[in-house]
Amino acid sequence: MAAKILRQAGAYYGQSLSRRAVLTVPSSDWKKLTKLPTFTNTDCVVLDLEDGVAESAKQIARENISRYLPESASTLNREICVRINSVSSKYINDDVQLLKDLSTTIDCLFVPKVDSIDEVKWLADQLGVNRQYNLVVYCESARSLADLRSILTSASNLFSLQGAVFGSDDFSADVGVNGRYSLEASELTYARQKIVTICRLFENTQPIDMVYINFKDLDGLKKQSEQGAAWGFTGKQVIHPQQVPIVQTAFSPSSSSIKWAKELIDAYEKHEKEEGKGAFTFRGNTMVDKPLLRKARHILNMTR
Ligand code: COA
Ligand code: MG
């Protein structure tokens, strides 16, 4: 199968974006699972088997997923995904078995700590070709970041690749960020921007930003979410329901930007058709040409 690498620069502006707030729920906690229908404004929930679940509760977490999915998948009315343990962990065989045994399909498979293309190939081989999984991978180490392009190439050949999440806390530990990274996370700028850039080489592959673990600090969350959105991320991992509305808003276009986009597209079409112009002045002082047209279309795509 041919790699789905895009050749045309800026082509990502055509994609629609479904995951803004990506809410992780420890699958071992049945009470938290039953609360999910009340969080109506998140696009996507991820039932976790990995680091949100204690070692002693892995099996309970798998059993909860088997029970929860058939009961809730059709009524929850948003994406329900599963995060398995990493391929290099001792839990992976039991997690793969769970996926094979599930009677319900999951919307997307989230795979943490993907460090090499061998891990991607191993997983594809284990899951078999009969079920084509949507896939989101986590980049959480120096090795993963260095090899991200080849990892995503392999993932896009073997799965329906849909995104990469920046696993900031594991990454910080791996590269030796001294102690806890700062509130502004300036130590992680290179990694975040590299992930956005690499994701843009692939079709329909969302860059999903780091978690904000100080979940009671909603101002800090808002700031970091707006920064991530400005840098090109299209969603963010969240761990607490209070974080959801802030992240959803930060990754959704504002009403003024929607208005700007609609007016710009109308003006572009008018100038192109009636005057044969590809560049013109918009709202008195901005030069408009193709890149801004793509940006405007991107904004409208994000409202779908
Ligand atoms: N999913 C679903 N429900 C959640 C939730 C989540 N991620 N986080 C909190 N809730 C629920 C709580 O159960 C609580 O419900 P209640 O009012 O019926 O008791 C309510 O939302 C308010 O939660 P709160 O009491 O403020 O927090 P908590 O002490 O119960 O939980 C955390 C705090 C951080 C432990 C919890 O948010 C959590 O487990 N988050 C996910 C962690 C995770 O997945 N980590 C790995 C990925 S980085
Ligand atoms: Mg992690």
Side-chain angles (χ1 to χ4, degrees):
M1 207 187 292
K4 290 174 188 157
I5 292 182
L6 292 185
R7 310 243 178 265
Q8 192 193 341
Y12 76 89
Y13 282 132
Q15 76 190 49
S16 67
L17 306 156
S18 54
R19 299 180 193 101
R20 281 164 271 212
V22 178
L23 175 65
T24 311
V25 194
S27 303
S28 49
D29 190 335
W30 186 258
K31 187 172 154 255
K32 282 191 172 54
L33 293 175
T34 59
K35 292 215 66 144
L36 291 176
T38 63
F39 312 138
T40 47
N41 59 355
T42 183
D43 297 317
C44 169
V45 296
V46 180
L47 312 184
D48 191 24
L49 287 169
E50 203 221 5
D51 285 353
V53 174
E55 186 151 351
S56 56
K58 296 283 185 194
Q59 191 49 30
I60 292 170
R62 290 186 198 102
E63 287 163 16
N64 282 349
I65 289 178
S66 300
R67 183 178 148 206
Y68 183 78
L69 276 175
E71 281 177 15
S72 314
S74 56
T75 53
L76 202 55
N77 200 23
R78 77 208 58 173
E79 275 204 350
I80 310 183
C81 314
V82 171
R83 179 167 81 164
I84 56 173
N85 289 280
S86 67
V87 168
S88 58
S89 75
K90 63 181 177 186
Y91 311 111
I92 188 63
N93 290 323
D94 288 339
D95 289 357
V96 164
Q97 196 55 49
L98 167 76
L99 295 174
K100 286 178 170 172
D101 292 345
L102 281 178
S103 56
T104 323
T105 48
I106 54 173
D107 289 315
C108 188
L109 178 62
F110 279 55
V111 185
K113 300 184 178 68
V114 179
D115 282 343
S116 70
I117 59 174
D118 287 348
E119 291 179 10
V120 176
K121 285 179 182 161
W122 183 89
L123 191 61
D125 196 42
Q126 292 296 309
L127 292 173
V129 287
N130 295 335
R131 262 188 186 175
Q132 175 78 22
Y133 283 87
N134 295 329
L135 189 81
V136 167
V137 301
Y138 285 68
C139 173
E140 309 193 63
S141 69
R143 184 172 175 203
S144 179
L145 188 69
D147 293 345
L148 192 59
R149 182 174 179 163
S150 50
I151 289 170
L152 295 192
T153 301
S154 171
S156 67
N157 282 332
L158 295 168
F159 293 89
S160 171
L161 177 68
Q162 302 205 332
V165 182
F166 179 39
S168 50
D169 290 65
D170 283 291
F171 180 84
S172 302
D174 191 54
V175 300
V177 169
N178 205 0
R180 178 98 195 100
Y181 53 79
S182 61
L183 220 52
E184 299 74 31
S186 49
E187 301 85 344
L188 304 175
T189 303
Y190 167 70
R192 287 168 80 199
Q193 294 189 340
K194 178 165 179 184
I195 288 171
V196 169
T197 307
I198 301 291
C199 281
R200 292 314 185 198
L201 300 173
F202 297 85
E203 221 169 343
N204 295 326
T205 301
Q206 271 192 257
I208 300 172
D209 204 3
M210 58 195 280
V211 69
Y212 195 79
I213 60 169
N214 187 358
F215 65 88
K216 295 193 175 160
D217 172 15
L218 300 181
D219 289 338
L221 172 72
K222 181 169 182 283
K223 235 169 137 182
Q224 192 184 79
S225 303
E226 287 170 354
Q227 181 186 57
W231 287 0
F233 283 100
T234 56
K236 188 172 181 71
Q237 219 193 332
V238 302
I239 48 168
H240 191 280
Q242 269 194 336
Q243 295 184 313
V244 168
I246 292 166
V247 171
Q248 284 285 130
T249 303
F251 288 92
S252 303
S254 65
S255 50
S256 62
S257 64
I258 294 170
K259 186 167 180 282
W260 172 87
K262 283 182 175 161
E263 282 177 18
L264 188 142
I265 291 170
D266 284 351
Y268 191 93
E269 284 170 359
K270 192 165 172 271
H271 278 86
E272 198 178 39
K273 264 191 211 129
E274 292 175 12
E275 299 172 39
K277 280 188 189 167
F280 60 94
T281 309
F282 180 61
R283 289 186 173 177
N285 57 6
T286 312
M287 189 277 288
V288 167
D289 61 3
K290 267 269 162 66
L292 271 191
L293 178 71
R294 286 199 202 107
K295 240 180 213 174
R297 286 184 178 149
H298 175 57
I299 288 168
L300 294 191
N301 270 336
M302 284 169 67
T303 63
R304 284 181 206 149

